[in-house]
C-alpha cells in the first residue's frame, strides 16, 4: 500500500498565508485555492497562530477587515432595495 506524503510548509509560508487571510476580504476557500493549499489547512494554521496558547513572538494579531464578504454582500443587497424603492417611488 502506498502512502501519500503531505507537503511540508515553512513557518514563514504559514505566517504569510495566515496574515494574508486575516487582512484580505476574500474568503478562506478562495485564498487557500490561490495558495494551492486545502482550506482546512489554512483554517488550522489560523487557529494555531492566532490563539493565546502560542508564544507571543509567534502569535499573529487577528486584525482582519471590518466586515466579511457575506456582510458586504448583504449590505449591497439592502442598499439596492432601498435605491429601487426610492427611484420607483418618483
Amino acid at each position: 500500500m502506498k502512502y501519500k506524503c503531505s507537503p511540508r510548509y515553512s513557518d514563514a509560508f504559514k505566517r504569510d498565508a495566515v496574515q494574508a487571510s486575516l487582512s484580505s476580504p476574500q474568503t478562506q476557500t478562495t485564498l487557500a485555492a490561490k495558495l494551492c493549499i486545502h482550506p482546512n489547512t489554512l483554517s488550522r494554521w489560523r487557529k494555531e497562530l492566532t490563539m493565546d496558547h502560542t508564544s507571543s513572538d509567534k502569535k499573529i494579531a487577528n486584525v482582519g477587515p471590518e466586515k466579511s464578504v457575506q456582510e458586504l454582500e448583504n449590505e449591497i443587497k439592502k442598499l439596492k432595495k432601498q435605491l429601487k424603492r426610492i427611484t420607483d417611488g418618483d
Side-chain angles (χ1 to χ4, degrees), residues 18-32:
V18 169
Q19 192 65 46
S21 73
L22 292 174
S23 61
S24 173
Q26 296 176 344
T27 63
Q28 284 188 35
T29 304
T30 305
L31 188 61

Side-chain angles (χ1 to χ4, degrees), residues 1-84:
M1 181 185 309
K2 292 184 180 182
Y3 293 99
K4 184 177 178 182
C5 296
S6 58
R8 300 288 178 210
Y9 298 99
S10 69
D11 288 339
F13 178 80
K14 291 178 184 181
R15 291 182 63 79
D16 290 344
V18 169
Q19 192 65 46
S21 73
L22 292 174
S23 61
S24 173
Q26 296 176 344
T27 63
Q28 284 188 35
T29 304
T30 305
L31 188 61
K34 287 183 179 182
L35 296 172
C36 299
I37 58 175
H38 196 277
N40 291 349
T41 302
L42 180 58
S43 180
R44 184 171 31 89
W45 291 348
R46 281 177 57 135
K47 287 178 190 173
E48 290 172 358
L49 294 174
T50 59
M51 299 300 275
D52 289 332
H53 62 74
T54 59
S55 62
S56 60
D57 61 330
K58 290 187 177 184
K59 185 178 176 188
I60 296 176
N62 189 353
V63 290
E66 291 180 16
K67 294 184 177 183
S68 70
V69 173
Q70 183 66 41
E71 289 172 323
L72 292 173
E73 288 173 350
N74 289 340
E75 187 174 345
I76 289 170
K77 193 182 302 183
K78 180 179 146 188
L79 292 171
K80 282 183 178 179
K81 283 182 182 179
Q82 287 178 353
L83 180 62
K84 184 174 171 103

